[in-house]
Amino acid sequence: MPVFSMRDFDDHEQVVFGCDPASGLKAIIAIHNTVRGPAVGGCRMWNYDTEEDALVDALRLSRGMTYKAALAGLPSGGGKAVIIGDAGRDKSEALWLAYGRFVDTLGGRYVTAEDVGTRPADLEIVRRATPHVAGIAEGGAGDPSPATALGTFTGIRACIAERLGRVRMKGLKVAVQGLGNVGAALAGRLHEAGAELIVSDIDELAVKKAVREFGATAVAPEAIHAAEADVFAPCALGAVVNDATIGEIRAPVIAGSANNQ
């Protein structure tokens, strides 16, 4: 499988593959750029269809982190890690310790954090094997999801003012794709502001909770992008706005927390 000639390879400084047969760890860390400082980015655990899909995700996400950090004026570069596996089945203390040791081999060039499939509790285990961890209780930062949800909420508010000429969210129809840590928190804020929610997630329990607590309307994951809404908020995996979906998106505003939408 080529790396340097891949479409998503963008002069990445380093791409590292880690394997620990005892714990089942199969991971990739991509460091895109460290000009501004150590590469910072979350660790995504996902049951990728192929190893190439995992590599593409790591390359795209790490590149995105470089620009996000630069736009925010942070003294950090862009990096990302992906673990190939089912987050609901394959997690173990041994796997997270092995991942921590893997991160530690980079000597601080990459600082790991939370992403899809990982939680602060997982990172607390990782911290036992490496100091290069963010988004845990140590240092006072804690779970970044509520802050990410607030940032997304604020972004939506700015977008509807610019695109729709609306100040209030009461009655605004928002289609939220993904009800993980960030998506669920965003849905809660939108509900409190009076928005009408349309939601989807591959986790049926998360969808039922949103319907019960927020009065949301549930739709199938493959149909959420085409929902009749004022705002489409992608909060799951990336690349949802693509050649196949762009003509079906009805919302005049696309504003969510997902990376590389």
Side-chain angles (χ1 to χ4, degrees):
M1 181 171 60
V3 177
F4 295 123
S5 61
M6 290 183 72
R7 177 181 178 181
D8 295 294
F9 184 83
D10 183 43
D11 294 330
H12 282 68
E13 294 179 6
Q14 195 171 6
V15 181
V16 189
F17 296 79
C19 178
D20 180 66
S23 65
L25 177 72
K26 292 181 179 178
I28 303 170
I29 296 176
I31 296 176
H32 177 250
N33 189 287
T34 59
V35 170
R36 296 180 60 87
V40 177
C43 172
R44 174 171 293 183
M45 187 172 187
W46 190 256
N47 199 17
Y48 294 96
D49 290 335
T50 67
E51 293 176 10
E52 183 174 358
D53 287 346
L55 176 58
V56 166
D57 214 18
L59 293 174
R60 288 178 177 174
L61 292 167
S62 57
R63 180 178 184 273
M65 289 303 298
T66 293
Y67 289 98
K68 287 170 69 175
L71 285 167
L74 299 176
S76 59
K80 208 77 176 185
V82 300
I83 295 176
I84 301 172
D86 187 328
R89 182 189 62 207
D90 299 331
K91 288 184 181 181
S92 68
E93 181 181 44
L95 181 139
W96 290 121
L97 289 172
Y99 173 66
R101 293 191 296 271
F102 178 35
V103 170
D104 206 54
T105 63
L106 295 171
R109 281 176 50 78
Y110 168 67
V111 179
T112 194
E114 180 189 354
D115 200 271
V116 175
T118 58
R119 298 180 178 277
D122 303 324
L123 295 176
E124 294 288 354
I125 301 174
V126 174
R127 177 62 181 85
R128 286 155 50 187
T130 181
H132 308 300
V133 180
I136 56 176
E138 182 180 329
D143 183 1
S145 301
T148 305
L150 174 59
T152 307
F153 177 82
T154 303
I156 290 174
R157 189 166 55 192
C159 286
I160 63 171
E162 173 68 23
R163 182 69 174 84
L164 306 178
R166 296 183 60 151
V167 177
R168 301 182 63 192
M169 287 194 176
K170 186 174 179 60
L172 186 77
K173 292 185 178 181
V174 184
V176 180
Q177 179 193 42
L179 295 168
N181 292 343
V182 177
L186 173 64
R189 284 188 173 275
L190 291 167
H191 173 68
E192 290 176 3
E196 298 177 12
L197 298 175
I198 304 167
V199 300
S200 75
D201 196 288
I202 58 175
D203 183 345
E204 293 184 6
L205 292 179
V207 173
K208 289 179 179 179
K209 183 178 180 181
V211 171
R212 182 175 67 252
E213 295 184 1
F214 307 140
T217 299
V219 301
E222 63 272 16
I224 186 69
H225 69 279
E228 193 73 55
D230 300 304
V231 178
F232 172 43
C235 298
L237 300 183
V240 66
V241 181
N242 54 54
D243 290 344
T245 64
I246 191 69
E248 299 174 345
I249 296 175
R250 302 179 185 181
V253 171
I254 301 174
S257 65
N259 292 293
N260 49 277
Q261 294 174 22

